[in-house]
Amino acid sequence: MSTYSDASGAIMPLPKIRRATGFGGVVPALAFVGIFFVAPVAILLLRSVLEPVPGLGNYAQLIGSATYLKIFANTFIVSGFVTAISLAIGFPVAWALAIMPGRLSSVIFAILLLSMWTNLLARTYAWMVLLQRTGLINKMLMGMGLIDQPLALVNNLTGVTIGMTYIMLPFIILPLYGVIKKIDPSTLQAAALCGANRWQCLTRVLLPLAMPGMAAGALMVFVMSLGYFVTPSLLGGTANMMLAELIAQFVQSLVNWGMGGAAALVLLVVTLSLYAVQLRFFGNQNPGRR
Amino acid sequence: MLLNFDRLGWWKYVLLAITLLTAAFLLLPIVFIAALSFGSSQWLIFPPPGWTLQWYSELFADPRWVESALTSFKIAVIVTILSVLLGLVTSFGLVRGSFMFRDALKALFLTPMILPVVVLAVALYAFFLRIGLGGTLTGFVISHLVLALPFSILSISSALEGFDKSIEDAAVLCGASPLEAKIRVTLPAISHGLFSAAVFSFLTSWDEVVVAIFMSSPTLQTLPVKVWATLRQDLTPVVAAASTLLILLTIILMALVAVVRKVLKQ
């Protein structure tokens, strides 16, 4: 092996110069992803500054219009609600799953996976029927005497929030389960020995230890919610559009590629920067399906 | 104490109640749709006045439903084959190779997983309009493959990372050609990764809606697109029947995965 002397005179091995190997294997995938993923997305984004006239006009129009700002607000508010509710339900469930007897927890895991893998449209359709004015949920609430008039649960943001929370729950429960499972029970025993009561153990030991997992899971649910298309467009009304549907509408009905590209870039930038935050602070978590 | 189920005291029952309610919440739509698909009410009243197979016979009697299901299946099978083959070659390059930007390339290959699908759908729609692939089978296959490939690369790479290459080298030392050693030693050893790659790819393509909406044409649509288009008009129980069949296929595939995992572990 060749060597050299560093400043202090010690003999150091020369850094090995290695020939690139195995690159041939990734060439087909690189070509495929380059042509059918990178190029189309890049062209779409380019069109946002080139059409109809070069410049930032599309972006000015996007920010300057109350209609579009309301759509951005809808998107962020719904995603925020979905994230908060998923977290509030998901934490106790993940906690229970982590400490439950094996048989019961495996049944619940099976249900989680089943719902996660069940066709998205099938599940959204179910909520469209369940939540309609004459649907099961309204009938049950009226039967219990909780309400006199059927509630408007669908074709509005309430419907979107219910349907989206349903879809996101497994995505927050599974990573949280992993985090809580890894917490050493002796830390809680130590806290109890030092005189902490149950509530203090929860708020000062368990929650802080689970916090990185909660933050990472919440961020992931939030990002996924921002870009959702199917559920918001079926469960939300035409008056309560969300960002993904706006992009689709610019392109499909209005054939306005400039505005479509601009809205897509906004969604892309928010999504990727939130993922960057996640990678920076919480390491690599499994991204879920859409 | 908080991490010991039996010593939680009354908190145990609170946790248990939340968990069981959540499980019921997750299960409700799935069971509900399956029940509705056999219900005799046109207006989706629950509980239904009677039971019938009418919606299934309507589903199978309509050539457009049958055709869209066949289209979905055809596309999913082609995507699965291509995704596993491409994923295999790529994984060998990524795991065994050593070249500049290897990690960056792997990240690039996985990006379609995290990108909002609607952005990809719109971008590919524009691109395919230009090059004449819009509304074609090839267009469907390519767009579904973009989404399926990351799952395939992820499954096969992790299987390959867990395989000790010296076993393959030993086969070469014993006289096998490098290719023969890969096919007869390495491939069987990573078969669980190939299997997951195939199942994930199939389900990704089979369930894909957003991209498919943009790829479809009046003459060529997949089952989810047909469901989508029908849902925009009315909530007919025929959709419940189609949805139940979609759910059934998912359950069968999940059971298959569980069985194969068990067999491969032995």
Side-chain angles (χ1 to χ4, degrees):
Chain A
M1 191 183 285
S2 0
T3 56
Y4 74 104
S5 307
D6 72 359
S8 63
I11 306 293
M12 305 284 287
L14 263 186
K16 262 196 260 173
I17 299 167
R18 277 192 295 180
R19 203 166 52 89
T21 55
F23 187 70
V26 298
V27 168
L30 187 59
F32 179 78
V33 169
I35 297 172
F36 294 111
F37 176 66
V38 179
V41 173
I43 294 172
L44 177 71
L45 300 182
L46 265 182
R47 286 173 88 168
S48 75
V49 288
L50 293 177
E51 290 180 24
V53 283
L56 295 175
N58 291 318
Y59 293 93
Q61 208 179 326
L62 214 49
I63 299 168
S65 142
T67 322
Y68 300 145
L69 284 182
K70 188 170 170 257
I71 291 173
F72 285 122
N74 278 344
T75 311
F76 279 91
I77 290 168
V78 168
S79 301
F81 267 114
V82 169
T83 307
I85 303 171
S86 307
L87 202 56
I89 303 175
F91 181 76
V93 174
W95 178 12
L97 275 175
I99 60 174
M100 245 180 204
R103 188 171 295 174
L104 186 56
S105 75
S106 54
V107 171
I108 290 170
F109 263 112
I111 294 176
L112 273 177
L113 292 178
L114 176 66
S115 102
M116 221 167 137
W117 281 100
T118 295
N119 184 284
L120 179 66
L121 271 174
R123 288 182 286 164
T124 307
Y125 168 67
W127 285 110
M128 288 168 83
V129 179
L130 280 165
L131 295 174
Q132 60 182 337
R133 294 188 80 84
T134 55
L136 194 63
I137 305 284
N138 264 319
K139 264 208 243 164
M140 265 168 53
L141 290 175
M142 279 164 70
M144 289 192 289
L146 291 173
I147 50 170
D148 304 322
Q149 290 287 314
L151 298 173
L153 294 172
V154 83
N155 290 330
N156 53 31
L157 294 182
T158 315
V160 180
T161 308
I162 296 174
M164 296 269 292
T165 305
Y166 172 82
I167 285 155
M168 293 303 166
L169 266 175
F171 288 108
I172 201 144
I173 293 175
L174 292 177
L176 271 185
Y177 165 83
V179 170
I180 297 175
K181 194 85 185 168
K182 270 194 218 133
I183 296 176
D184 187 351
S186 57
T187 52
L188 285 150
Q189 270 162 7
L193 280 177
C194 295
N197 63 28
R198 217 169 257 166
W199 183 250
Q200 286 168 326
C201 280
L202 175 67
T203 54
R204 295 215 192 149
V205 184
L206 187 59
L207 277 178
L209 283 176
M211 196 50 92
M214 287 168 72
L219 207 55
M220 195 172 84
V221 166
F222 186 76
V223 175
M224 283 169 73
S225 305
L226 286 179
Y228 246 66
F229 175 69
V230 170
T231 311
S233 47
L234 287 177
L235 287 172
T238 37
N240 303 292
M241 210 187 275
M242 280 175 61
L243 191 48
E245 208 186 348
L246 180 71
I247 298 173
Q249 203 173 60
F250 273 138
V251 167
Q252 266 192 321
S253 344
L254 307 173
V255 202
N256 189 338
W257 289 99
M259 290 296 278
L265 184 80
V266 173
L267 179 57
L268 208 58
V269 167
V270 177
T271 303
L272 292 182
S273 29
L274 287 176
Y275 268 116
V277 170
Q278 165 141 357
L279 273 179
R280 171 79 180 72
F281 289 103
F282 311 110
N284 202 356
Q285 298 268 334
N286 255 2
R289 298 168 85 218
R290 74 218 66 96
Chain B
M1 166 179 79
L2 287 183
L3 289 174
N4 184 327
F5 197 60
D6 295 321
R7 291 175 56 196
L8 266 178
W10 61 270
W11 282 26
K12 180 165 105 178
Y13 300 102
V14 177
L15 275 189
L16 206 55
I18 297 176
T19 307
L20 293 178
L21 279 175
T22 307
F25 174 64
L26 289 174
L27 208 50
L28 169 76
I30 301 172
V31 175
F32 178 73
I33 281 301
L36 270 190
S37 73
F38 295 105
S40 61
S41 161
Q42 166 84 58
W43 310 112
L44 301 160
I45 290 163
F46 196 87
W51 304 98
T52 173
L53 286 174
Q54 184 193 346
W55 315 118
Y56 287 91
S57 51
E58 268 186 39
L59 184 73
F60 287 114
D62 185 341
R64 286 169 305 171
W65 278 107
V66 178
E67 204 180 303
S68 63
L70 288 178
T71 306
S72 269
F73 190 75
K74 203 195 307 177
I75 293 169
V77 169
I78 302 174
V79 168
T80 305
I81 295 169
L82 292 178
S83 170
V84 172
L85 287 178
L86 196 53
L88 184 64
V89 179
T90 313
S91 298
F92 264 102
L94 285 176
V95 175
R96 299 270 179 89
S98 133
F99 44 85
M100 267 181 14
F101 306 121
R102 196 181 59 166
D103 293 337
L105 267 187
K106 185 166 187 184
L108 172 70
F109 290 152
L110 301 185
T111 318
M113 274 172 119
I114 59 163
L115 208 69
V117 198
V118 74
V119 174
L120 177 67
V122 167
L124 273 178
Y125 175 59
F127 191 60
F128 285 176
L129 278 183
R130 284 269 167 94
I131 61 174
L133 282 177
T136 65
L137 197 73
T138 316
F140 265 115
V141 168
I142 290 173
S143 60
H144 287 190
L145 187 56
V146 172
L147 291 169
L149 190 60
F151 288 99
S152 186
I153 291 179
L154 213 53
S155 314
I156 301 177
S157 299
S158 69
L160 201 56
E161 266 156 20
F163 172 75
D164 186 356
K165 188 176 181 286
S166 56
I167 301 172
E168 188 182 306
D169 297 339
V172 175
L173 281 177
C174 292
S177 74
L179 186 66
E180 200 181 353
K182 278 194 177 61
I183 293 172
R184 295 183 54 185
V185 178
T186 312
L187 277 192
I190 60 166
S191 55
H192 60 286
L194 295 175
F195 180 74
S196 323
V199 172
F200 281 134
S201 299
F202 185 89
L203 274 181
T204 301
S205 170
W206 176 259
D207 278 347
E208 176 48 45
V209 204
V210 184
V211 162
I213 289 169
F214 286 88
M215 291 306 128
S216 65
S217 72
T219 50
L220 189 72
Q221 49 181 212
T222 57
L223 191 54
V225 177
K226 175 75 182 141
V227 171
W228 165 269
T230 312
L231 275 186
R232 307 226 100 182
Q233 285 153 18
D234 67 317
L235 294 177
T236 165
V238 178
V239 173
S243 300
T244 308
L245 291 181
L246 285 171
I247 296 169
L248 200 65
L249 189 81
T250 310
I251 295 177
I252 293 172
L253 278 176
M254 274 178 60
L256 196 68
V257 173
V259 170
V260 169
R261 286 237 170 101
K262 222 172 212 173
V263 170
L264 286 176
K265 256 187 195 159
Q266 280 165 2

